[in-house]
Structures are given as C-alpha cells and as structure tokens.
C-alpha cells in the first residue's frame, strides 16, 4: 500500500492554498471530523491528524487541549479513536500520539500560554506536612477533587512551580521517574480565595507519591 498524494490546490489571488488530502488520509480526516472530534471537543480537548503512515497502517495524531497529558488519553486513543478509525477505514492497524514541542519563547511572550513542567520531585514529607498544616489544599488531576486522609499521607515527593504572574490555561506535567503525564487545567481556579483557598497556592497530586506545588 502506497501513500496517496494530495490533490494540487488552485491558487487564490496568486497564493496557493493547503493541499487537499485524497484517499485513505481523506477518509481518516473525515472520521476524525465527524466521529471523533465532537466528543473530544465536548470534554475540552481536540485531535489533529499529523500523518498517515501507510506501510505500518499507523495513524499519528496530536492530542490538544484537555486531552494533552490527560491520564485517560491512552484509553481514548485505543478504545475510542482506534476503534472508530478501524470501523470506517479498515486499513488502519494502529494509532499513536506525538506531543507538540513546548515553545519556550511563546510562553515567555504570552503570560497566558500553556506551560510544560517536568516534575523532578525531591523527598519532602516534612514540607508536605507543613503545607497541609498551613491549609494548602491538595487536589487530584481528576476534576479538581481534593486529596485527603490516607491518600495524602502517601504523598512524599514534591516539586515547586512558581507561575510568577503567568496565567496558563493548562500545565502539562511529566515525571521522568514514573513516566506519568498529567494535565492541570485552569490552575488559577485552584488558588482562588473566594473558593476557600486561604493560602493562595495549591498542590496537585500527579501520582500516589508525588505532587506539584503551584504558587502565583
């Protein structure tokens, strides 16, 4: 099976538009547009087709928005997206995602740009206890649920992220040790005093033993 070339596009006012995909790639785009993206967008995410690799039968996607770093993204890829693609495009054998490189320059210029954070947590059980005693709330990455009691006592490793006035909509956290990838949505909302956060900072638990402390 060979890749089907894209159809040449007619120039408009002397400027050529993007090529229109043909064949299997076009079928994949159609399935993503009508069968996948509406449900993903309803949850605050999106899916972009990067390329179709015909020799491997593999679709390479980019997960965006809330999907990026979401702990359920692997399930979404294999249980939702792959099944939908294979149903309508039987040539598809597998699907995987590639992350978008983080643009440090854009983050520096735009205070609202999404951030990537590599969690290199240091053992700090005493610091975590002190934060708890001071009233710092600990949240999970699942719908802002609070982590308390026995689950909180298991958290032993801490990294510290200072926003320094930035207001990102998403923070994409990755842990090189446990390979966890998490998305923290709207971190400003976690630190709002009118919602009962008296400390102005918040900690987010990314795995059973690690958390990220976020300060304004």
């Amino acid at each position: 099976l060979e890749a089907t070339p894209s159809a040449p596009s007619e120039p408009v006012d002397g400027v050529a538009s993007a090529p229109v995909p043909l064949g299997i790639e076009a079928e994949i785009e159609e399935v993503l547009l009508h069968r996948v993206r509406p449900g993903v967008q309803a949850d605050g995410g999106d899916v972009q087709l990067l390329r179709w690799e015909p020799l491997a039968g593999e679709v390479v996607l980019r997960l965006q928005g809330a999907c990026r770093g979401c702990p359920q993204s692997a399930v979404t890829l294999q249980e939702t997206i792959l099944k939908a693609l294979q149903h309508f495009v039987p040539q598809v054998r597998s699907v995987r995602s590639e992350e978008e490189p983080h643009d440090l320059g854009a983050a520096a210029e735009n205070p609202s740009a999404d951030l990537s954070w590599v969690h290199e947590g240091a053992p700090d059980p005493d610091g975590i206890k002190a934060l708890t005693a001071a009233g710092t709330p600990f949240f999970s990455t699942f719908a802002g649920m609070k982590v308390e009691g026995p689950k909180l006592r298991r958290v032993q490793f801490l990294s510290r992220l200072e926003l320094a006035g930035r207001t990102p909509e998403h923070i994409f956290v990755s842990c090189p040790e446990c390979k966890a990838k998490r998305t923290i949505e709207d971190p400003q909302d976690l630190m709002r005093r009118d919602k009962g956060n008296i400390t102005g900072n918040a900690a987010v638990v990314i795995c059973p033993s690690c958390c990220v402390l976020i300060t304004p």
Side-chain angles (χ1 to χ4, degrees):
L1 182 65
E2 295 182 352
T4 304
S6 298
S9 55
E10 294 295 329
V12 179
D13 296 331
V15 179
S17 60
V20 178
L22 295 175
I24 293 176
E25 185 176 346
E27 294 178 24
I28 292 170
E29 287 275 23
E30 192 78 6
V31 174
L32 292 176
L33 178 63
H34 296 289
R35 302 286 179 172
V36 174
R37 295 185 68 197
V40 171
Q41 290 173 341
D43 291 330
D46 207 348
V47 177
Q48 175 190 2
L49 175 64
L50 293 183
R51 61 187 178 273
W52 158 243
E53 297 183 351
L55 294 180
E58 185 169 65
V59 176
V60 183
L61 304 172
R62 175 162 292 153
L63 301 182
Q64 300 172 316
C67 289
R68 185 180 174 188
C70 172
Q72 296 298 316
S73 61
V75 176
T76 300
L77 274 174
Q78 302 304 320
E79 294 297 324
T80 303
I81 299 177
L82 178 59
K83 288 184 177 180
L85 287 172
Q86 288 180 327
H87 179 78
F88 293 99
V89 188
Q91 293 89 341
V92 173
R93 295 199 292 269
S94 62
V95 62
R96 65 182 174 90
S97 65
E98 284 187 1
E99 289 192 6
E100 184 175 9
H102 182 54
D103 188 345
L104 295 176
E109 296 175 5
N110 181 6
S112 298
D114 291 341
L115 294 178
S116 292
W117 177 252
V118 178
H119 169 76
E120 296 178 347
D124 194 3
D126 292 337
I128 293 171
K129 288 180 182 178
L131 289 169
T132 304
T136 297
F138 284 71
F139 297 96
S140 75
T141 54
F142 296 97
M145 295 178 60
K146 286 190 175 181
V147 178
E148 300 172 321
K151 290 185 178 179
L152 181 55
R153 288 194 288 272
R154 294 173 59 187
V155 180
Q156 300 291 309
F157 295 86
L158 175 72
S159 66
R160 299 172 183 267
L161 170 58
E162 184 178 353
L163 295 180
R166 292 171 293 185
T167 57
E169 185 176 346
H170 302 93
I171 300 174
F172 304 112
V173 182
S174 61
C175 176
E177 186 68 25
C178 69
K179 310 303 181 184
K181 294 184 179 181
R182 302 289 186 263
T183 299
I184 301 173
E185 297 187 50
D186 194 6
Q188 286 71 231
D189 189 65
L190 303 179
M191 297 183 286
R192 288 174 54 177
R193 292 182 180 273
D194 62 343
K195 289 192 173 183
N197 188 339
I198 61 174
T199 65
N201 54 31
V204 178
V205 177
I206 63 169
C207 77
S209 60
C210 296
C211 68
V212 178
L213 176 67
I214 304 172
T215 57

